[in-house]
Amino acid sequence: MGRTWLAALLAAWCLLGVSAHADTPVPHEIVYTVTTESPVAADIYYRETDPPTWADYSHNPYEFSPKVRVDVGPGNPWVFHATLVDPQRWAMVTATSGRSPGEPRFRCELKVDGAVVATADGPKGALCALRHW
């Protein structure tokens, strides 16, 4: 009886180990790139961490979406590397020139694990994401 109990305990332990391993989130390398055809001071919001829950995000989206104001132009892209567990849900970069005059022609690119998964362009701004915001 002792050996049977020990074998059952070991089997259960192995199953728990496999289950715990299967639930371990896999981080993904995210690369956001923003370019423009003419120089501009751009406002860029991006997601660099996964919010713990949708409720946390919706309560304060700016806590999880930092903003930078940077000079972007031909030969001067803005590139940011992040790590997200759920890029399908959270990967996002958006850039705009706001009320600045002119149309700098924005282009954004979103890569997940080295593969381009989203691109967008626009005269005064662009949004790249995997989900529809």
Side-chain angles (χ1 to χ4, degrees):
M1 177 155 176
R3 287 185 182 170
T4 303
W5 182 83
L6 182 58
L9 181 62
L10 284 173
W13 182 76
C14 287
L15 285 174
L16 286 175
V18 169
S19 175
H21 180 70
D23 294 339
T24 303
V26 177
H28 297 276
E29 179 190 3
I30 310 301
V31 180
Y32 303 120
T33 303
V34 174
T35 60
T36 58
E37 290 180 7
S38 61
V40 67
D43 290 327
I44 301 174
Y45 289 91
Y46 58 97
R47 194 82 27 73
E48 68 178 329
T49 59
D50 294 85
T53 66
W54 180 257
D56 290 326
Y57 173 77
S58 62
H59 178 69
N60 187 3
Y62 296 104
E63 178 182 348
F64 303 101
S65 305
K67 174 189 165 192
V68 293
R69 184 161 180 87
V70 295
D71 293 327
V72 181
N76 188 30
W78 178 82
V79 180
F80 188 83
H81 296 260
T83 302
L84 296 174
V85 173
D86 191 356
Q88 189 69 33
R89 188 172 197 189
W90 299 115
M92 181 278 305
V93 63
T94 185
T96 181
S97 57
R99 296 182 179 167
S100 299
E103 295 182 351
R105 298 283 329 149
F106 278 88
R107 177 169 170 75
C108 62
E109 179 181 89
L110 168 58
K111 288 183 181 177
V112 176
D113 298 329
V116 175
V117 295
T119 62
D121 58 66
K124 293 187 67 69
L127 165 66
C128 285
L130 293 174
R131 75 178 289 156
H132 298 287
W133 293 91

